Amino acid sequence: MILILVRHGKSVANVNKVLSNDPDKYPLTEEGLQQASFTARELRKLMVSKLYTSPILRAYQTATVIGEALGLIPVVDGRLRERDLGELNNTYMEADHWKLRLMRKEIEARGLENWDSLKRRIANFVEAVAGEEVVVAVSHYDPIRAFVSIATGVEEDVSLWGVSIPNASMTIALYGEGRVKLLTIGAPVLLPSVLSQLNPQPELRGE
């Protein structure tokens, strides 16, 4: 199986520096829609068999743009949703990253979904779709980092501090014979070196 995790395009929440796991707030910005369109064009280089998405609006909008380009209808899967933020939901973070502030004991986050819970639900999603050939799943920053944690064996959230997952980027893994091989983390394009490992069928969908 080829698994391609796509982070949603830039949203109003990203621009306004608001943390939110609400399902129906903070849509994509115009830039975010353009990012989703660019990623969709990249994904046309592959024969994607299934498209899944988080139910959160910014992810669903991204998946809709991708689905229109690929001729696929996005399937909503709650396991791809944003991290449950607890009392941090819909809060504005002006200065340092909220995780740094948590580590410094400057803020509390009652109800925040823990790292192990996040990894379990992402692992459960991957196991459920393992029978597909080429899967695209639109999700969020922390769930995708949780997948990177599973694939690399890096255990703690803060240990992945330097791992960047930009908006509309692609994190790609190959699954086979019980092994996982990460090909990209947060990549904006499908490079020829990556495509050569994915056995694509170029131009199969046409323009």
Side-chain angles (χ1 to χ4, degrees):
M1 179 183 71
I2 297 168
L3 175 63
I4 305 168
L5 286 168
V6 176
R7 187 185 175 195
H8 61 79
K10 182 176 286 187
S11 71
V12 173
N14 297 139
V15 172
N16 293 336
K17 299 181 180 179
V18 173
L19 302 175
S20 178
N21 58 258
D22 285 349
D24 55 358
K25 293 182 179 179
Y26 307 111
L28 295 182
T29 62
E30 186 60 37
E31 181 183 357
L33 288 167
Q34 292 173 1
Q35 290 172 334
S37 294
F38 181 86
T39 300
R41 289 194 296 272
E42 288 294 294
L43 290 169
R44 284 169 65 92
K45 298 173 183 177
L46 300 170
M47 191 63 178
V48 177
S49 54
K50 202 83 173 192
L51 173 62
Y52 295 90
T53 182
S54 156
I56 306 296
L57 178 60
R58 53 191 178 270
Y60 185 80
Q61 287 181 316
T62 302
T64 298
V65 173
I66 292 171
E68 288 174 352
L70 301 182
L72 295 172
I73 297 174
V75 177
V76 174
D77 193 305
R79 291 169 292 192
L80 296 169
R81 70 186 185 277
E82 177 64 279
R83 187 174 193 168
D84 293 331
L85 294 163
E87 66 181 11
L88 290 179
N89 190 40
N90 291 317
T91 55
Y92 170 65
M93 288 294 164
E94 180 179 12
D96 290 337
H97 194 286
W98 63 273
K99 292 176 187 175
L100 278 177
R101 297 184 67 186
L102 275 176
M103 287 188 286
R104 294 170 182 158
K105 309 297 184 183
E106 296 172 0
I107 59 174
E108 294 184 3
R110 286 184 291 271
L112 176 69
E113 183 177 10
N114 66 48
W115 189 243
D116 287 340
S117 170
L118 194 56
K119 286 173 63 177
R120 280 195 300 272
R121 65 173 162 93
I122 293 301
N124 185 264
F125 168 78
V126 174
E127 290 171 6
V129 301
E132 300 288 346
E133 293 183 4
V134 183
V135 172
V136 172
V138 182
S139 189
H140 306 263
Y141 182 80
D142 272 352
I144 296 174
R145 289 171 77 251
F147 172 76
V148 172
S149 173
I150 294 167
T152 61
V154 178
E155 292 294 336
E156 298 294 333
D157 187 7
V158 293
S159 299
L160 290 166
W161 192 263
V163 175
S164 177
I165 310 291
N167 290 112
S169 65
M170 294 170 282
T171 297
I172 304 174
L174 284 175
Y175 279 78
E177 300 178 352
R179 292 182 296 178
V180 183
K181 180 182 180 181
L182 270 176
L183 299 184
T184 71
I185 300 175
V189 296
L190 292 171
L191 294 173
S193 58
V194 173
L195 285 170
S196 67
Q197 298 181 69
L198 299 180
N199 297 317
Q201 300 180 47
E203 308 302 327
L204 191 57
R205 295 186 181 275
E207 290 298 331

